[in-house]
Amino acid sequence: VAEAKARGFTEPDPRDDLSGMDVARKVAMLAREIGLQRELEELMARGTVRRATPLETTCWAYRAAGCVGAYWDELIEAEHPSRSARERRARRRAAVRLGLGLQEVNLLRDAHEDHRRGRRLLAGLELDGSTPEAERAWIARARADLRAGFAY
């Protein structure tokens, strides 16, 4: 991992690559672009506890708030056009990540209530103290998305 990072093959934080979250975020954006959209609640089995996968959570977070960042970026682009396609893509990614980060904070805030209602929206997170690494990972993910979004 250290060698891959040194050669520039990883995200700035290699844990993003190792956890699969970076790929999940990209797949979620692609899924949205080709029309594969589902509400997270549709992914819950009737009457049972259904644990969302990281990709399902990312897709839902995008639909809930990431798309708001993308739309906001469209409005800004109309008033202040980007100087290049590269700048445009970077700005849009930052806007989407800001929306994702805000929604991830909402999911973390609501995790106890969601668990009480039988919903496990944050993959790997149990609130009985048995998964502190999962909680730290979701907090780190939200922080990373917010930091990237603040660049917007």
Side-chain angles (χ1 to χ4, degrees):
V1 173
E3 180 181 341
K5 184 178 180 184
R7 297 178 87 188
F9 296 137
T10 70
E11 291 294 316
D13 182 349
R15 291 176 295 185
D16 287 343
D17 293 313
L18 297 173
S19 71
M21 293 312 299
D22 183 55
V23 171
R25 282 193 288 267
K26 289 173 182 165
V27 169
M29 287 183 234
L30 289 172
R32 186 199 124 320
E33 291 296 321
I34 62 171
L36 298 175
Q37 300 176 357
R38 296 186 294 181
E39 293 294 332
L40 192 58
E41 286 77 16
E42 292 173 9
L43 301 169
M44 304 292 176
R46 288 189 188 104
T48 64
V49 172
R50 169 71 160 79
R51 286 168 172 80
T53 67
L55 178 58
E56 290 168 342
T57 300
T58 299
C59 288
W60 183 81
Y62 178 85
R63 290 205 56 208
C67 62
V68 174
Y71 179 71
W72 177 254
D73 184 55
E74 293 293 328
L75 296 174
I76 297 299
E77 180 67 19
E79 293 293 321
H80 305 284
S82 301
R83 292 184 297 257
S84 68
R86 183 178 181 162
E87 178 187 326
R88 173 85 177 103
R89 285 189 305 272
R91 195 167 75 182
R92 183 175 178 100
R93 276 193 304 272
V96 168
R97 287 196 66 188
L98 178 60
L100 287 173
L102 292 169
Q103 188 58 34
E104 290 156 359
V105 168
N106 287 341
L107 289 170
L108 284 161
R109 178 200 64 208
D110 297 340
H112 285 280
E113 178 64 20
D114 288 334
H115 272 57
R116 190 180 67 72
R117 293 179 180 218
R119 296 185 300 237
R120 304 299 191 265
L121 305 181
L122 296 171
L125 182 63
E126 296 296 331
L127 295 177
D128 60 2
S130 65
T131 58
E133 65 286 343
E135 185 173 7
R136 285 191 297 273
W138 278 107
I139 291 169
R141 176 182 168 175
R143 283 182 177 152
D145 282 336
L146 289 171
R147 262 191 233 104
F150 290 155
Y152 185 77

